[in-house]
Amino acid sequence: MKRRLKRVTSLLCVFALCVGLLPASGIWNAAGAESGINGYQATMQADAFTEDGWAKAFDVDSSVEGAVSIDGTYRSAALNGKVWADKSVTADETDKEFNVTLSALGQTFASKTTSQTEVAFDVVFVVDRSGSMNFGQESTSQSNVSVGETRMDATVAALNSAAEKLMENGNNRMAVVPFNNAATGSWVELNHYTKNGNSPFFSYSSSNRQRQFSFEASGTQKKSIQVTGGTNQQDGFFKASEILTSAAIPEESPMRIPVIIMLTDGTPDGNYATQYYKTGKSGDGSATPEKLDNDSLYNTW
């Protein structure tokens, strides 16, 4: 009885071993299955998806030195230089393929420490005082245009607004270069000014059938200049440039920024439209050795 049992057990073991040696495809196909991979009984399985791990790769605890809260999480420059790397594998069940994504990300995080540098402005206002500035703001004629409605009125209002704001800083300086046929470079010298009581820095008035552009400030004598003549913008630019390049810098002054602001009603007229003053000389352009067309002239600047 025992010998027969041993024989049966041995036969079963041999049968199981033979079955194990058969191809899996044979077993799968024998069962009549239509799924699997290349005829094998198998399924596609990828690792857990980690490609989005970068979102928290540089999170730090609030106790870390230099930690700064950004949208509810903390970042720190202490992790600058750290590199996050990832390999993510996804399975494409349709094409029976694996897709592999390799990612790397580093951090450069700037702390909130800021620095401030005090600066001061040297501003030269180049102001058109040609005859057309007496015209109405929308008119090409001076006929029946009273003070208060002219282009010069609009210019003076803009000048006063800018000058008052600029002079709020005691380190800022301003100068004024009026121009018509030529520019007057030393009319208002580069300096810091305060208002003379309630009087504005600049004004525009009509007296004895002449229109006057005026400047006054505390401690200075009021000066006026007539609004008439042509439009020689080039000379205005050169005179303003000379003021800035030759300006003395006060001791212990903060870094100074030079600025030229022109206020005008149009482009140069007549011969002034083609003048190019290398030496800054004034004139009607007839004796100027080098002339450029208007577009080239402005591109040169």
Side-chain angles (χ1 to χ4, degrees):
M1 182 66 179
K2 290 182 179 180
R3 185 175 298 174
R4 186 179 299 172
L5 182 59
K6 287 180 179 180
R7 288 179 179 177
V8 172
T9 303
S10 299
L11 289 173
L12 290 174
C13 290
V14 171
F15 177 77
L17 181 61
C18 291
V19 171
L21 293 175
L22 291 175
S25 59
I27 299 174
W28 189 253
N29 290 334
E34 296 180 357
S35 60
I37 302 176
N38 294 333
Y40 290 91
Q41 185 181 15
T43 59
M44 298 182 69
Q45 183 174 342
D47 295 336
F49 184 78
T50 56
E51 186 180 347
D52 57 356
W54 63 268
K56 295 185 177 181
F58 299 97
D59 288 2
V60 297
D61 188 82
S62 59
S63 61
V64 174
E65 181 180 356
V68 177
S69 177
I70 299 177
D71 296 331
T73 61
Y74 286 88
R75 299 282 190 273
S76 172
L79 294 187
N80 286 353
K82 173 184 175 180
V83 177
W84 168 84
D86 175 73
K87 180 186 75 174
S88 290
V89 181
T90 57
D92 189 332
E93 296 287 351
T94 303
D95 295 332
K96 307 301 182 185
E97 293 178 346
F98 288 103
N99 299 317
V100 180
T101 302
L102 302 177
S103 305
L105 181 67
Q107 171 182 271
T108 300
F109 182 77
S111 66
K112 273 193 170 182
T113 302
T114 58
S115 60
Q116 293 183 343
T117 301
E118 185 179 7
V119 297
F121 291 93
D122 285 342
V123 180
V124 180
F125 295 104
V126 181
V127 182
D128 188 345
R129 67 176 184 97
S130 63
S132 62
M133 295 295 285
N134 295 314
F135 296 174
Q137 297 183 37
E138 303 298 332
S139 172
T140 58
S141 172
Q142 188 178 345
S143 303
N144 302 321
V145 178
S146 60
V147 171
E149 301 174 347
T150 69
R151 299 170 188 175
M152 200 66 195
D153 287 303
T155 297
V156 165
L159 271 172
N160 280 320
S161 178
E164 290 178 16
K165 188 65 178 178
L166 188 66
M167 294 298 101
E168 289 179 0
N169 185 328
N171 289 318
N172 291 342
R173 300 184 295 184
M174 71 174 177
V176 181
V177 175
F179 69 90
N180 55 4
N181 295 1
T184 307
S186 59
W187 194 63
V188 174
E189 297 180 353
L190 187 67
N191 209 336
H192 181 83
Y193 296 95
T194 56
K195 291 172 62 176
N196 185 12
N198 294 325
S199 299
F201 285 118
F202 303 98
S203 59
Y204 172 65
S205 61
S206 177
S207 177
N208 297 325
R209 303 183 67 178
Q210 292 184 347
R211 302 292 178 99
Q212 302 284 331
F213 172 49
S214 304
F215 170 81
E216 66 175 313
S218 178
T220 66
Q221 184 176 358
K222 182 176 180 179
K223 52 182 62 179
S224 300
I225 195 166
Q226 190 174 353
V227 182
T228 186
T231 308
N232 190 344
Q233 293 178 339
Q234 294 93 314
D235 201 30
F237 270 118
F238 275 105
K239 292 295 195 301
S241 177
E242 290 171 2
I243 289 174
L244 292 174
T245 55
S246 62
I249 305 300
E251 293 185 7
E252 300 182 359
S253 170
M255 181 178 70
R256 308 195 74 82
I257 300 176
V259 180
I260 297 176
I261 299 176
M262 173 170 280
L263 297 96
T264 181
D265 66 347
T267 57
D269 57 9
N271 288 324
Y272 305 123
T274 54
Q275 285 182 348
Y276 179 50
Y277 297 132
K278 277 192 171 182
T279 61
K281 293 180 180 179
S282 301
D284 64 2
S286 59
T288 305
E290 182 177 357
K291 292 185 178 181
L292 302 175
D293 62 80
N294 202 40
D295 290 338
S296 299
L297 180 62
Y298 281 94
N299 289 336
T300 300
W301 287 332

